[in-house]
Amino acid sequence: MLIAQMQSLSILLIIDEFMEHIQITESSLDSSLWSSYSDWKEKIRSLPFEEVDAFREKMIKAIREAEKNRDDVPGNDEITITKNNSVKRVEDLLKSREIEAEELEPANRNYKEVIFNAGNTSEEIFDIEERIKDDIILKELKKRKNDEEEFQQEEVIIDGVKYNYNNSQIPSLYLIGFIGLLIVVGIGFLIYKDNARKRRIY
């Protein structure tokens, strides 16, 4: 089992380095190669040992075809490569931050088209990429804040009346209740002592 895992990892690294070397991104490949999996890396990790080599050959073939198609298209130069790499970085950030493209601002949702229409200089491409990445990070922070607020807010129904309170207030509520209990016990003790004194007098 360990040997199979090591071989799968080795093949994964070989394909990844090959794609990086010839500057081909995952978005340039036919995703049907890894259908039912989130990406080709997950498929390699999930395949039985005896099927890994066959899938590696398919990936290498698909990568070479993508390279040929890229080179055959007029104008596919360094700027296009830069745009493809920019798209991949945005996709990686979306995946790592668990944000869907539909959650972004309208101007950023179709990020591939936005990046490819960004202009013909690296500066213009990187400016657009940074704008989209900032949007992703802001959406993640907003989602995290909303999750925290939902956790903190509680609703309690007493005698048919709804009361909303914050979980952060719970310690202070306990303290107030404890102080109230002490006061009640103190008053009861004073009444008891007063009654005892009266009984001694009479």
Side-chain angles (χ1 to χ4, degrees):
M1 182 67 179
L2 180 60
I3 294 175
Q5 289 178 342
M6 290 178 65
Q7 176 157 350
S8 296
L9 179 60
S10 175
I11 290 174
L12 189 152
L13 292 173
I14 289 170
I15 294 175
D16 206 25
E17 289 176 4
F18 181 50
M19 290 174 65
E20 186 176 350
H21 175 68
I22 63 175
Q23 297 184 311
I24 290 293
T25 64
E26 183 179 305
S27 59
S28 305
L29 304 177
D30 182 3
S31 60
S32 64
L33 281 168
W34 56 84
S35 58
S36 77
Y37 297 92
S38 62
D39 55 31
W40 63 271
K41 294 179 181 179
E42 183 188 354
K43 182 168 182 176
I44 286 180
R45 295 190 190 100
S46 305
L47 281 175
F49 175 75
E50 60 274 11
E51 296 180 21
V52 173
D53 275 338
F55 181 68
R56 180 198 61 188
E57 293 301 320
K58 289 181 181 178
M59 281 293 297
I60 296 296
K61 181 180 178 181
I63 292 166
R64 292 197 180 280
E65 287 178 357
E67 181 188 25
K68 182 177 182 300
N69 292 337
R70 181 195 66 194
D71 294 340
D72 287 346
V73 176
N76 248 325
D77 48 17
E78 292 183 4
I79 291 300
T80 302
I81 294 170
T82 301
K83 289 178 178 179
N84 281 325
N85 290 337
S86 179
V87 167
K88 185 176 187 307
R89 286 191 292 269
V90 168
E91 289 175 340
D92 289 345
L93 186 62
L94 281 167
K95 187 180 293 186
S96 66
R97 300 303 176 102
E98 298 182 344
I99 298 294
E100 299 294 331
E102 292 75 17
E103 298 177 58
L104 302 178
E105 295 300 313
N108 298 327
R109 287 174 190 168
N110 194 355
Y111 58 87
K112 292 182 182 178
E113 182 179 338
V114 172
I115 289 172
F116 273 89
N117 291 333
N120 291 317
T121 66
S122 298
E123 290 76 12
E124 290 172 313
I125 297 167
F126 292 141
D127 285 345
I128 294 296
E129 178 185 339
E130 288 305 311
R131 186 191 79 191
I132 297 170
K133 287 161 73 174
D134 287 345
D135 191 11
I136 294 170
I137 293 169
L138 286 173
K139 293 301 183 295
E140 183 206 17
L141 292 174
K142 184 178 179 181
K143 183 184 286 188
R144 189 182 301 169
K145 182 181 178 183
N146 290 340
D147 290 344
E148 289 174 356
E149 288 176 352
E150 286 178 9
F151 172 75
Q152 290 176 353
Q153 293 296 327
E154 293 286 347
E155 185 178 83
V156 177
I157 300 177
I158 302 174
D159 295 332
V161 181
K162 291 182 180 179
Y163 296 90
N164 290 315
Y165 69 92
N166 194 297
N167 281 336
S168 61
Q169 297 172 337
I170 291 178
S172 60
L173 292 175
Y174 279 130
L175 180 60
I176 292 170
F178 181 69
I179 293 172
L181 179 63
L182 287 178
I183 292 172
V184 171
V185 171
I187 292 173
F189 181 69
L190 291 174
I191 293 172
Y192 170 78
K193 284 186 66 177
D194 186 59
N195 288 338
R197 182 179 61 79
K198 288 179 179 178
R199 284 197 294 271
R200 286 199 299 272
I201 292 174
Y202 295 109

